[in-house]
Amino acid sequence: MSGAEFVPLSLTPLLIGMFAAVACALPGNFLVLRRQALIGDAISHVVLPGIVVAFLVTGVVAAAPMLLGAAVAAILSVVMIEAIRRLGGIEPGAAMGLTFTTLFAAGVLLLEQSDTSGVHLDVEHALYGNLESLIWLDAIGWQSLVDASALAELPVELFRVAAALVGVCAFLWVFWRPLVLSTFDEGFARTLGVRTGSVGLALVIVAAVAAVAAFDAVGSIIVIAMFICPPAAARLMTNRLNMQLGWSVVFAVLSAVLGYVFAGFGPLWFGFDNAVSAAGMIATVSGVILGLSALFGPCRKRLGAPVV
Amino acid sequence: MLWDALTLQLGYNATLVTIGAALLGVSAGVTGTFLYLRKRALVSDAISHATLPGVALAFIVMVVLGADGRSLPGLLLGAAVSSWIGLLCVNWLTARTRLAEDAAIGAVLSVFFGFGIVLLTVIQTMTAGRAAGLEGFLLGSTAGMLFNDAVVIAVGGAVTLALVVALRRPMGLVAFDPEFAASSGVNVRRIDLAIMGLALAVTVVGLKVVGLVLIVAMLIIPPVTARFWTDRTDKMAMISGICGGAAAWVGAAVSATAPSLPTGPIIVLTSFALFALSLLLAPNRGLLAVGVRHRRFQRRVHMRQGLLALAQGQPIFERFTLTLLRRAGLAHADGVATDDGKARAAKALRDETRWQVVRADQAFESAAALYDGLRDIETVLTNDQIAEIDRRIGSPKGVAT
């Protein structure tokens, strides 16, 4: 495929997919280790009511208020889960399921009740995203990468996801020590003066920000899959946290690239002429990777588990 | 209109859907109870998302075979098969790898759902237009439901409910104490699978009504609501079933009145309203009851401290204590005891001394264990015992004035 075709049509979706996957996979490592993996699931469900409310308040489909609404909804849901868990004495899983289904239901109902026929805002879009449509129309080939006027027309989602990725990396780099300590040994971390509660909350907020930024570009399915599958697969490959983060980045990038390519060109190989959903395919590929590492990964067994 | 819908006056199909939804709600509530007690509520999330590829594949297969792709029983069969595979994947990942159950649930739900979406896009390109009904499985749609579909849902709901009722004993046993259940001859693995299988049946039957994103709520919210009202399994299952049935009835009826009121969200929000009411008002575990209990406890502590301070002639600085004493007519506004107050204070001090004797004497060990500073000694010891203690302390002396 020539640059004239690749750069405008495939380069930006690929980059956005990769950035979104890595931005979700990095905090996902800690969520998986802390047994909070389903927080990603909850967040990606409650993003919908946040976006709908933002739309109803402002009346326009603009990125800034919607991202803000989604972030507020995500944080609100975390607070609500914690409140229901503590006040009602309910186990965390049930509290989480209760919260996100209720908020999602409220979002769907608001969406159906309000007059959104004139704008592009629907549940299916929120679930699948539209990675394929994030193309760079002004590019004419590889030379556009150094052309300032063409670069100015890059899809804005690219910058947003890239910013989220940088933010996630910065958070992990700055808070690495307290984060690792409180993940592996909360009691020990507390004796060293680490505020484990705040660290946990900060991690969830960072995950929410990454989820919202990625959601905007690629839909909630990739977000949930990337929070869990690459880190879980990486967990089966190694016993060291650094290595696990590395593996998860590799798996995330691999899922994004392979998923995008299979979705775009896979059907052609089988004689169909239409592409399938890239978001769904990326999630599927990440699942295949997880399956392979669960079958063949060197550290797949629990330590001390009986040999079968 | 709403009243007509609630009392089943809106035509044959709407009536059938409402009844079917209510049956489904009851069986979801009862099944969910055991799921919740087994602490596996979120497994249902994986099950429900894993239905999507099955629905899509069933559609493709039926179209390829030349049948009508939208036949509900066929689609539900596909959904059941793929969510069963999803369930086995969750179990396999948790049992055979070091991954925790939550990671396994999340992985299965996202991957199956993603694959389902891939298949949906395949269907869209394959037979444009004829697939229009499949999106209804995401959020549920009862509008324009065919008579046959409504029958499938009503019968499915009824059968699930019958199975749950038949299996409730062993399921309760396994949920509370798997080891005891195993030792008394119950096959724990098989009952666990039965709980999951019933959850799966509820999910599959409910797909068309509530949609796969929200069906989890029918399995989770009613048991959580019921937990506030009782500590007994059979009662909890019953209350949970009633809550689930009522929410589903109201949801299906309300949504039949207008096209812009989708069934699933209304059912979920009704359930949540019941939950919120229970969270506030339930006796014993509700927030209101907890608040009242705390307040009452606080009063007793303040009263006791105030009386002891009066008895020992110490000044009272705590404003709440003073207010309590004054309201009870035991002290004046300046903190000086009334005659009533002096008598009660002397009694409080004497009781405190009696307690000290009780706690120092091995013979009263079982009574001493009940000491918490607030219990009246008359509720613990007999009059004879108190008289015996008083003999050791000596007779009452007047309070210094």
Side-chain angles (χ1 to χ4, degrees):
Chain A
M1 183 192 252
S2 68
E5 214 178 307
F6 176 77
V7 174
L9 293 180
S10 291
L11 180 66
T12 42
L14 258 179
L15 281 178
I16 291 173
M18 276 160 50
F19 288 168
V22 176
C24 290
L26 282 175
N29 278 296
F30 290 95
L31 293 178
V32 166
L33 286 171
R34 297 164 77 104
R35 314 216 155 174
Q36 293 178 322
L38 288 170
I39 287 272
D41 182 29
I43 290 173
S44 55
H45 278 89
V46 303
V47 160
L48 178 76
I51 287 179
V52 176
V53 168
F55 168 74
L56 292 180
V57 170
T58 59
V60 287
V61 180
M66 289 197 169
L67 287 179
L68 193 67
V72 169
I75 293 167
L76 186 77
S77 74
V78 171
V79 172
M80 195 168 149
I81 291 171
E82 198 62 8
I84 289 180
R85 192 173 71 78
R86 294 221 181 129
L87 291 179
I90 294 162
E91 59 139 332
M96 199 184 282
L98 195 157
T99 305
F100 80 73
T101 49
T102 303
L103 290 177
F104 189 80
V108 173
L109 194 63
L110 272 178
L111 196 58
E112 294 282 333
Q113 287 289 299
S114 55
D115 179 28
T116 49
S117 51
V119 296
H120 187 64
L121 193 65
D122 54 49
V123 177
E124 279 85 13
H125 175 204
L127 291 172
Y128 314 162
N130 55 344
L131 190 56
E132 297 88 341
S133 68
L134 300 173
I135 47 180
W136 185 16
L137 279 178
D138 285 45
I140 45 168
W142 288 110
Q143 64 270 31
S144 300
L145 286 177
V146 287
D147 179 0
S149 66
L151 282 176
E153 297 297 320
L154 274 172
V156 65
E157 283 85 356
L158 180 61
F159 297 110
R160 232 175 267 146
V161 178
L165 178 59
V166 170
V168 167
C169 291
F171 170 78
L172 290 185
W173 190 64
V174 172
F175 291 99
W176 178 259
R177 217 174 96 84
L179 203 54
V180 173
L181 278 173
S182 65
T183 299
F184 283 102
D185 194 338
E186 200 168 346
F188 177 60
R190 224 177 286 135
T191 62
L192 291 183
V194 176
R195 296 198 182 151
T196 48
S198 326
V199 171
L201 189 64
L203 175 66
V204 172
I205 290 175
V206 166
V209 170
V212 169
F215 167 85
D216 173 45
V218 296
S220 59
I221 279 310
I222 299 196
V223 172
I224 310 174
M226 287 305 132
F227 264 125
I228 300 174
C229 291
R235 177 92 180 88
L236 304 174
M237 298 300 289
T238 170
N239 277 326
R240 302 206 49 83
L241 184 60
N242 295 331
M243 296 297 291
Q244 186 188 325
L245 253 67
W247 275 112
S248 73
V249 170
V250 170
F251 287 149
V253 170
L254 209 60
S255 317
V257 173
L258 288 181
Y260 184 79
V261 171
F262 288 162
F265 307 107
L268 301 180
W269 303 335
F270 290 103
F272 297 103
D273 47 358
N274 285 299
V276 296
S277 159
M281 198 47 118
I282 292 176
T284 311
V285 171
S286 76
V288 172
I289 292 177
L290 174 61
L292 288 177
S293 61
L295 283 174
F296 306 112
C299 299
R300 62 185 185 278
K301 290 270 161 57
R302 213 167 265 128
L303 279 182
V307 183
V308 265
Chain B
M1 180 88 174
L2 180 59
W3 182 247
D4 285 346
L6 283 175
T7 51
L8 304 175
Q9 308 286 316
L10 271 189
Y12 197 66
N13 273 8
T15 302
L16 213 53
V17 169
T18 309
I19 293 176
L23 285 175
L24 183 75
V26 173
S27 40
V30 179
T31 312
T33 305
F34 299 104
L35 215 56
Y36 173 72
L37 291 176
R38 199 88 175 88
K39 295 197 165 51
R40 302 189 72 186
L42 278 180
V43 175
S44 55
D45 204 19
I47 296 178
S48 65
H49 283 78
T51 53
L52 189 61
V55 171
L57 270 181
F59 182 86
I60 294 176
V61 168
M62 284 192 288
V63 167
V64 168
L65 292 180
D68 178 17
R70 279 172 300 178
S71 137
L72 190 60
L75 294 178
L76 294 189
L77 185 69
V81 170
S82 80
S83 58
W84 186 252
I85 296 174
L87 183 59
L88 292 182
C89 285
V90 171
N91 283 347
W92 181 76
L93 278 177
T94 355
R96 287 300 161 89
T97 71
R98 53 160 56 158
L99 294 177
E101 186 165 49
D102 64 331
I105 291 172
V108 166
L109 87 85
S110 57
V111 171
F112 273 68
F113 195 65
F115 185 56
I117 285 172
V118 169
L119 292 176
L120 279 189
T121 47
V122 169
I123 290 174
Q124 273 165 9
T125 61
M126 181 170 102
T127 50
R130 284 174 66 194
L134 285 195
E135 270 79 13
F137 281 96
L138 287 179
L139 295 172
S141 66
T142 49
M145 183 181 273
L146 299 175
F147 172 71
N148 288 338
D149 297 354
V151 170
V152 168
I153 287 160
V155 170
V159 169
T160 322
L161 184 57
L163 281 176
V164 174
V165 171
L167 283 175
R168 68 189 188 286
R169 290 264 160 228
M171 288 199 296
L173 206 57
V174 169
F176 273 101
D177 197 339
E179 274 102 41
F180 174 69
S183 71
S184 55
V186 176
N187 188 335
V188 174
R189 266 183 60 88
R190 200 172 292 166
I191 294 296
D192 253 345
L193 274 183
I195 298 180
M196 291 298 151
L198 283 170
L200 197 150
V202 168
T203 310
V204 169
V205 175
L207 269 192
K208 184 75 180 160
V209 184
V210 192
L212 64 86
V213 185
L214 290 174
I215 184 81
V216 207
M218 290 183 81
L219 286 163
I220 296 182
I221 302 182
V224 172
T225 309
R227 186 67 189 87
F228 281 103
W229 296 92
T230 176
D231 286 331
R232 301 196 53 81
T233 333
D234 41 356
K235 274 194 195 155
M236 181 176 161
M238 210 165 71
I239 296 173
S240 170
I242 292 171
C243 287
W249 182 286
V250 171
V254 168
S255 102
T257 60
S260 66
L261 294 171
T263 325
I266 306 250
I267 293 181
V268 176
L269 291 176
T270 316
S271 285
F272 181 76
L274 288 176
F275 160 78
L277 277 180
S278 309
L279 178 68
L280 277 181
L281 300 179
N284 214 10
R285 285 172 62 107
L287 287 186
L288 211 60
V290 170
V292 167
R293 203 159 52 223
H294 177 77
R295 192 79 183 155
R296 206 172 282 157
F297 179 73
Q298 206 177 16
R299 275 164 195 274
R300 288 177 63 192
V301 173
H302 276 271
M303 200 66 168
R304 169 175 183 268
Q305 294 303 97
L307 285 173
L308 288 180
L310 283 184
Q312 290 163 335
Q314 294 160 347
I316 297 170
F317 297 109
E318 173 62 43
R319 196 140 317 138
F320 184 59
T321 314
L322 209 56
T323 319
L324 279 181
L325 287 173
R326 213 178 61 226
R327 262 194 227 146
L330 301 177
H332 300 293
D334 54 1
V336 177
T338 60
D339 286 345
D340 254 2
K342 283 176 194 161
R344 283 283 299 278
K347 161 93 167 63
L349 191 59
R350 187 164 189 81
D351 278 352
E352 201 52 34
T353 323
R354 286 168 173 165
W355 270 116
Q356 275 170 18
V357 174
V358 169
R359 292 169 70 203
D361 190 339
Q362 287 282 312
F364 291 112
E365 201 182 342
S366 58
L370 293 171
Y371 176 77
D372 58 4
L374 293 175
R375 204 180 286 266
D376 290 327
I377 198 160
E378 290 87 353
T379 62
V380 179
L381 299 178
T382 63
N383 283 338
D384 292 347
Q385 284 174 310
I386 293 176
E388 148 75 20
I389 291 168
D390 280 354
R391 257 199 304 284
R392 293 193 215 170
I393 303 172
S395 56
K397 293 186 280 281
V399 180
T401 41

